């Protein structure tokens, strides 16, 4: 069974937020999911330097945190899609502000 490596602290809202969106690939994954539902193989195409294991682990953490959901389709071959949840959609404004800030950095 998967167990989160970094425990969430409940005493600081900013730290909790940063914990659920921090990770080498989470921002890129969330940015894609804010546009459309996506499959793991599509994420791998967008992030070829990321290992499947790392992506799967970060997807699991985001599911556990309620930011995204996983949908398995009952078909052959197996099809699984990831989608942003209403909680995850709330990160859209956070990502816009982070992007604005990043644009100002040299």
């Amino acid at each position: 069974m998967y167990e989160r490596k970094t425990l969430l602290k409940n005493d600081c809202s900013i730290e909790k937020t940063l914990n659920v969106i921090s990770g080498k690939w989470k921002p890129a994954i969330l940015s894609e999911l804010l546009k459309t539902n996506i499959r793991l193989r599509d994420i791998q195409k967008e992030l070829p330097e990321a290992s499947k294991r790392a992506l799967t682990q970060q997807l699991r953490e985001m599911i556990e945190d309620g930011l995204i959901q996983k949908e398995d389709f009952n078909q052959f071959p197996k099809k699984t899609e990831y989608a942003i949840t209403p909680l995850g959609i709330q990160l859209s404004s956070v990502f816009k502000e982070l992007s604005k800030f990043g644009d100002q950095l040299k």
Side-chain angles (χ1 to χ4, degrees), residues 41-76:
R41 68 183 174 138
D42 298 324
I43 297 170
Q44 289 177 293
K45 285 179 189 174
E46 291 292 320
L47 304 168
E49 60 278 8
S51 71
K52 183 176 181 178
R53 181 176 182 228
L55 292 173
T56 303
Q57 178 181 346
Q58 294 200 351
L59 286 164
R60 280 189 200 131
E61 287 180 7
M62 290 187 288
I63 291 168
E64 183 181 294
D65 293 330
L67 301 179
I68 65 172
Q69 61 189 15
K70 177 180 174 180
E71 183 177 359
D72 291 317
F73 294 87
N74 191 14
Q75 67 181 48
F76 184 81

Side-chain angles (χ1 to χ4, degrees), residues 97-106:
E97 290 303 316
L98 286 171
S99 181
K100 284 182 194 175
F101 182 82
D103 289 343
Q104 297 176 45
L105 300 175
K106 293 182 182 184

Side-chain angles (χ1 to χ4, degrees), residues 3-90:
E3 187 175 322
R4 175 184 281 283
K5 290 182 180 177
T6 306
L7 297 177
L8 295 179
K9 294 183 179 179
N10 291 322
D11 57 345
C12 178
S13 298
I14 294 171
E15 191 170 343
K16 283 195 306 188
T17 303
L18 289 174
N19 274 328
V20 299
I21 65 171
S22 66
K24 189 165 186 176
W25 309 111
K26 285 182 186 181
I29 294 168
L30 287 167
S31 292
E32 288 301 313
L33 285 169
L34 284 165
K35 297 175 198 167
T36 186
N37 295 355
I38 197 164
R39 297 172 71 177
L40 178 59
R41 68 183 174 138
D42 298 324
I43 297 170
Q44 289 177 293
K45 285 179 189 174
E46 291 292 320
L47 304 168
E49 60 278 8
S51 71
K52 183 176 181 178
R53 181 176 182 228
L55 292 173
T56 303
Q57 178 181 346
Q58 294 200 351
L59 286 164
R60 280 189 200 131
E61 287 180 7
M62 290 187 288
I63 291 168
E64 183 181 294
D65 293 330
L67 301 179
I68 65 172
Q69 61 189 15
K70 177 180 174 180
E71 183 177 359
D72 291 317
F73 294 87
N74 191 14
Q75 67 181 48
F76 184 81
K78 184 179 177 183
K79 179 182 175 184
T80 301
E81 274 189 353
Y82 295 90
I84 198 93
T85 63
L87 180 63
I89 289 171
Q90 293 179 38

